[in-house]
Every structure is written in structure tokens, then in C-alpha cells.
Amino acid sequence: SEDSQIALVVSGFFPSQAALLFAAAHPNRVRRVCVLNAPLGNGHKLPDPLGVYGRPFGMGKGAGADVYKLNYFGNEFAIPPERMEEYEKPYGSSSADAAAARDAFEATATATSLKDAIQSVTTAFSKAGRGAQKVRVVWGSADKYLGDAPMYKWCEDVRASFDVMRKVGHMPQEDFAEETAKFVAAFFESEGRVGALGSVRLGKINKDDDYDRS
């Protein structure tokens, strides 16, 4: 039933792919999906703090988990120090748990092919057909890692709707948390009334004008 379904918001490089594949495989459990700046378009690549582990001849093996660089340089505005500390905390100490977290960080980056993951997600949602979830992409267009241009084609391929947040970077939930929440809430609360959602069936991507952008 709808009461037992969840509304899913995904962001980031690897967790977003896994969450989207789960959603595509379980439409009875996930009612709607909102994507915030996740790599899904043709040409999207890993940024250097993640791509370093894939350097030829194992040259990146054992590189530190540079969470600061990964989170800081993809955004339009600086993440406050207290927030950055929370992102770095699992990896920054000399404890066994921190070492395990750093190993997991590297293992995820080396064991996962981003290109294959993107293809798997695209295929899963392209073939979903009737009864699949509504999908909305809310994109921070000032993302320094991922361009927005490939996402227009991705949205057409999977019948998703698309909206843009200007002057917002790779982590909209950090750059402008309240504004991002407004975009996400408008989609989840629309119940199919938002004009952009109705246009998806025609293969069009329009802006959502059913809520206050000011």
C-alpha cells in the first residue's frame, strides 16, 4: 500500500547508484525518487579524490581518504567547518574503526565501475514501464564535478522530470539546504499535479512552476 512506501532522495557517487537500483527493483516499496546531483549522464566521471584509486599500475593504492577535498571542491560555496568535521570524522583518527573506514572508502572506489553502474541504473529505469515510480532530478547547475547537460538526455531516456537550482553546487543539501528542501517537498507533495510531471509522458522536460521559487 502507499502507506508502507517510502519517498527516496539520493545524492553522491556510489550510494546513489545502489539506492536507485533498489528503487527500480522494488516499485512496491519506493513511491517516488528525487535525484540530487548524482552521476547518471554519459560522460560523468569520478572526481580526483575517488578516481585516484584507479590510477594505472596501482599508483593510487593506499591513497588517503581525502573526504575534505571531495566535499569541498565540488560546491559553489564553502561547507562550514563544523559540517566538514562530521564528514571527516569516520576517517580521520588512528583508530581501527577509522582505518577500516578508509579501507572501505578505497575498496568501494576500486571495486565499482561508475560507467557500468550508470548503465545499469539507466537500463533499469528505462525498462520500468507502467507502474514505475515518478522520478525528479533536482540539479545544482554550479556543480564542479558533474555537468548538467548529460542529465537532460538521461531524463528523456527514463521519463524523469528535471529542474535546476542556479548557483548551487555538487551538494545542494549543503549549499542551500532550505531551498533544496523546498524543491524536494514540492515534488513529493505534488500528487501528480505538477505540470512538469504530466509532460514526461510526451518526452518533454519542463520547469516545475507549481511552487514558490522566491
Side-chain angles (χ1 to χ4, degrees):
S1 68
E2 287 192 1
D3 291 341
S4 63
Q5 290 179 309
I6 64 170
L8 184 65
V9 182
V10 303
S11 180
F13 281 89
F14 295 121
S16 61
Q17 314 294 332
L20 287 167
L21 287 172
F22 174 86
H26 299 90
N28 60 319
R29 299 179 65 179
V30 181
R31 181 164 171 259
R32 292 192 179 190
V33 180
C34 186
V35 179
L36 304 177
N37 288 65
L40 294 169
N42 184 30
H44 282 168
K45 299 178 180 178
L46 294 177
D48 185 63
L50 292 172
V52 63
Y53 299 109
R55 287 178 177 173
F57 310 112
M59 295 177 63
K61 184 176 177 58
D66 198 343
V67 178
Y68 180 91
K69 183 177 180 181
L70 176 63
N71 290 333
Y72 186 89
F73 287 101
N75 293 290
E76 183 73 1
F77 300 101
I79 297 176
E82 62 273 15
R83 293 290 300 145
M84 190 65 77
E85 287 177 6
E86 292 300 316
Y87 282 109
E88 292 184 293
K89 187 181 297 184
Y91 309 95
S93 72
S94 57
S95 69
D97 287 345
R102 291 191 293 270
D103 289 344
F105 188 89
E106 178 175 351
T108 301
T110 54
T112 306
S113 165
L114 182 62
K115 183 177 180 180
D116 290 347
I118 290 173
Q119 185 59 55
S120 295
V121 171
T122 303
T123 300
F125 278 93
S126 297
K127 294 181 177 179
R130 186 179 297 275
Q133 306 96 337
K134 290 284 193 288
V135 180
R136 160 61 56 90
V137 173
V138 176
W139 200 265
S141 64
D143 190 331
K144 293 175 171 49
Y145 293 144
L146 305 172
D148 61 345
M151 292 304 298
Y152 291 97
K153 178 64 167 62
W154 188 84
C155 287
E156 289 181 336
D157 290 343
V158 306
R159 302 181 301 280
S161 56
F162 186 88
D163 211 343
V164 174
M165 299 182 70
R166 307 294 176 186
K167 298 182 179 179
V168 177
H170 178 64
M171 300 169 71
Q173 70 274 21
E174 291 289 357
D175 265 355
F176 287 99
E178 292 184 4
E179 192 69 11
T180 300
K182 185 191 299 185
F183 276 65
V184 174
F187 172 52
F188 286 155
E189 296 169 2
S190 66
E191 300 300 334
R193 289 181 286 102
V194 181
L197 300 182
S199 72
V200 172
R201 291 190 296 272
L202 302 177
K204 297 178 181 178
I205 302 173
N206 297 324
K207 286 194 174 182
D208 180 346
D209 58 1
D210 201 25
Y211 59 94
D212 182 14
R213 290 170 171 272
S214 61

